Amino acid sequence: MIVVMNQGAAEAEIKEVLKKLEKYGFQIHLSQGVERTIIGAIGDKTRLKSDALEVMPGVEKVMPILQPYKLAGRAFKQGNTEIKIGNITIGGNTIQVMAGPCAVESREQLLEAARAVKAAGATMLRGGAYKPRTSPYSFQGLEEEGLELLAEARELTGLYIVTEVMDTKTLPLVAQYADILQIGTRNMQNFVLLKEVATAGRPVLLKRGISATIEEWLMAAEYIMAGGNHQVILCERGIRSYDTYTRNTLDLTAVPVLKNITHLPVIVDPSHAIGKWQYVPTMAKAAVVSGADGLLIEVHPNPTEALCDGPQSLTPENFNTLMEDLRAFAALLQRNI
Ligand code: PEP
Ligand code: MN
């Protein structure tokens, strides 16, 4: 349930309510806004009735949370969640672009990609050091060496690093290097991993599962939030449909729907959704128009030589053109990029 405190409720009144909730074993999530305090309480409602709370001093109202996703829902938080990383904000007025190769392949490849995406206006560098490949015979990533290269690229360019963590074993190491931990589509419902990333102290980019409904996706976010980490960014990356012409089907409908039902930032990855670079710019623009807070775009200095996802990667030149076009769309929406 959600306990809304009166505007200007006293500290002591808030404390009393928290004490009461704790006594009955509720998990508490405080949202202390400028105007008022809202307490998200998750637990067994049969043990503590809302009327018992409603009569407490300082309480304005008590509301049940009807959706299964409690912390991720708008009922818990009216305003948008803004995630600050260094000097950038994800979920604010500025549309943030993370770009870079699918996999870190070499120092030369990564630094060239990093310099190019930085020059074009990206604020974050993406690149996998641990790659979840369909075939065990495909390139699996440079692992720790890849993480070191990402750190070097951050040092040289000032770009923040987004990189995938695949399991709990490597999580402490990946978290040392990453500014944002990416949970890939294949791991969206790896609940053990979700619980662990909740305590890793880094924002999480949670990609939509390959066949996940919006509710299942939000419940995955809920795992991370229930574990104490409210810094979750949702990433639509295409879902499996009957059509095989494109790699997946980009569900742009998810963007306005999510913006309505959750306060979490939503970004779009047209590269993995489509799988063909020719269509990426059009859908990146459509994503911005649909209300996305950011984009994830694969960029490779030489896509034909890429060890992973070359066909969907933009060249630095094409990425630069896209960024120029995106600025015009963002301006129309009174947003920055
Ligand atoms: C990736 O970002 O390179 C990736 C593997 O993404 P996804 O999990 O969406 O397939
Ligand atoms: Mn990829």
Side-chain angles (χ1 to χ4, degrees), residues 292-312:
D293 296 302
L295 292 168
L296 185 161
I297 310 276
E298 282 192 342
V299 177
H300 195 287
N302 189 358
T304 58
E305 296 288 318
L307 296 180
C308 184
D309 287 349
Q312 68 196 32

Side-chain angles (χ1 to χ4, degrees), residues 101-103 126 131 247 272 298 308-309 312:
C102 181
R126 61 136 294 132
K131 292 305 304 175
R247 187 175 178 184
H272 290 89
E298 282 192 342
C308 184
D309 287 349
Q312 68 196 32

Side-chain angles (χ1 to χ4, degrees), residues 154-181:
R154 171 174 50 206
E155 198 63 34
L156 287 171
T157 59
L159 291 165
Y160 300 105
I161 302 299
V162 186
T163 197
E164 178 161 354
V165 59
M166 292 216 307
D167 55 31
T168 53
K169 197 175 70 194
T170 51
L171 173 60
L173 183 71
V174 179
Q176 267 178 45
Y177 290 91
D179 296 297
I180 298 179
L181 291 165

